[in-house]
Amino acid sequence: MSDSEDLLKTPLYDLHVRHGGKMVGFTGYNMPVQYADGIMAEHKWCREHAGLFDVSHMGQVKLSGADPAAALETLVPGDIQGLGINQQRYTMFTNAGGGVLDDLMVLNRGDHLMLVVNAACKHQDIAHLEASLDGVEVEYFPDRALLALQGPEAAAVLTKHAPEVANIPFMSAIDITLAGAQCLATRSGYTGEDGFEIAMASDAAEDVANLLLADDAVRPIGLGARDSLRLEAGLCLYGHDLDETTSPVEAGLRWTIPKHRRESGGFLGAERIQRELAEGPSRRRVGIKPEGRVLAREGVEIAIDGAVVGTVTSGGFGPSCDHPVVMGYVAKGKTGDAVDLMVRGQARPAQIVKMPFHPHRYYRG
């Protein structure tokens, strides 16, 4: 993070300041890390009610032309051609070595695809698409905003203004109008809770945000709670739990690769990924619960019987779990095994556990 004055601002920068947001540099943008109530309170509010996140720094990209779904499948291992209209899917850009260039959401809009990619990777993703996809037009929308309304009361709040969202299932989309603005809402998010990501023109973002924040159930939530929420939910953060050396199989994301794509390949890095699917990877992502209140951050070594077997990639305190939560990669070990976290040179006891640390509560219809 940085406090440089040269950082970009999202359309909601002034709103964050008015609400008391503590602004920090994140992926080149001035973003709120927290508000006056603090990260712990924001996290719990989102788990119990509804939180509003500004994720306008993410990249929104349109693919159109001759069969963009088939073209995109040369770059990702997911099933894009099988998406129904207004259905969305999570997948990854892989490289020739089977590592992950970025993870992304893909939405089928009928005559085109809409992609949401990570802020830190969006320009390289766009260049990758433009260089790799013949006959496909790649259009980036820097003038689009993106809000995430997350939590068990999110649907009730949004339904007051757009009743048609009430029963759309997880990972589907619908066009709605909020505060007089045309919006695209997908039932998705990064917290493990039910909720929506809502895209709109930048000049409509503040009106939409104010409309939602006017509800007593909704409070603004910053980057700090966004991270603790996704960590409790066992969700990967690109650049930490995923990178160009890590395969989807190692990351525990084989569920994103359907059988026919595992068999046929046809995407970058397919040889390594197919081999790991058949033989198993040399390491894998696991959840770890430390004993007591010990916090293990990224880079901490993971040991079994005195031998280092892996490294922590994400770690922090889980307010909903009321204990520290850790994700990392290990070359050996299974659920239930005891491990040591080498925190500041001291071996601190922990255990490999199943993820997520906090149950997902997505709306399945």
Side-chain angles (χ1 to χ4, degrees), residues 76 125 155 176 183 207 233 269-270 281 327:
V76 304
D125 289 346
I176 60 174
C183 301
D207 287 343
M327 291 196 301

Side-chain angles (χ1 to χ4, degrees), residues 30-48:
N30 234 317
M31 300 290 290
V33 67
Q34 66 179 72
Y35 297 87
D37 288 342
I39 293 171
M40 182 97 56
E42 291 172 27
H43 176 113
K44 291 182 176 179
W45 185 268
C46 186
R47 286 272 186 252
E48 296 166 4

Side-chain angles (χ1 to χ4, degrees), residues 226-246:
R226 185 169 184 254
D227 192 56
S228 59
L229 288 158
R230 71 90 193 170
L231 181 51
E232 282 190 341
L235 302 176
C236 293
L237 176 62
Y238 190 80
H240 301 264
D241 312 296
L242 295 172
D243 60 31
E244 294 186 19
T245 69
T246 304

Side-chain angles (χ1 to χ4, degrees), residues 109-256:
R109 292 290 281 164
D111 62 348
H112 66 275
L113 301 176
M114 286 299 301
L115 280 51
V116 177
V117 300
N118 282 302
C121 305
K122 61 185 176 184
H123 296 297
Q124 70 185 41
D125 289 346
I126 292 164
H128 181 51
L129 289 163
E130 291 176 336
S132 305
L133 302 185
D134 292 332
V136 174
E137 181 181 355
V138 181
E139 187 177 0
Y140 169 48
F141 292 95
D143 58 346
R144 295 280 285 176
L146 189 64
L147 305 179
L149 182 67
Q150 301 282 297
E153 295 184 30
V157 170
L158 195 56
T159 299
K160 293 176 185 178
H161 309 288
E164 60 270 35
V165 307
N167 295 312
I168 69 166
F170 180 57
M171 297 296 273
S172 62
I174 190 169
D175 294 294
I176 60 174
T177 301
L178 295 174
Q182 294 298 308
C183 301
L184 173 61
T186 61
R187 200 156 200 164
S188 60
Y190 195 44
T191 63
E193 297 292 335
D194 184 24
F196 303 85
E197 293 193 344
I198 308 165
M200 71 224 68
S202 292
D203 59 7
E206 188 160 342
D207 287 343
V208 172
N210 283 330
L211 177 71
L212 298 173
L213 288 169
D215 196 299
D216 289 341
V218 183
R219 291 183 183 175
I221 311 293
L223 293 171
R226 185 169 184 254
D227 192 56
S228 59
L229 288 158
R230 71 90 193 170
L231 181 51
E232 282 190 341
L235 302 176
C236 293
L237 176 62
Y238 190 80
H240 301 264
D241 312 296
L242 295 172
D243 60 31
E244 294 186 19
T245 69
T246 304
S247 78
V249 184
E250 290 177 322
L253 299 173
R254 64 178 66 207
W255 58 269
T256 67

Side-chain angles (χ1 to χ4, degrees), residues 42-99:
E42 291 172 27
H43 176 113
K44 291 182 176 179
W45 185 268
C46 186
R47 286 272 186 252
E48 296 166 4
H49 304 286
L52 187 67
F53 302 76
D54 179 11
V55 287
S56 301
H57 58 311
M58 305 285 278
Q60 298 183 59
V61 182
K62 177 182 177 181
L63 301 184
S64 56
D67 203 351
L72 184 59
E73 283 192 357
T74 65
L75 303 182
V76 304
D79 176 14
I80 309 304
Q81 295 186 75
L83 276 173
I85 294 176
N86 286 330
Q87 286 185 336
Q88 183 174 246
R89 187 151 287 153
Y90 170 76
T91 190
M92 290 135 279
F93 289 123
T94 48
N95 59 25

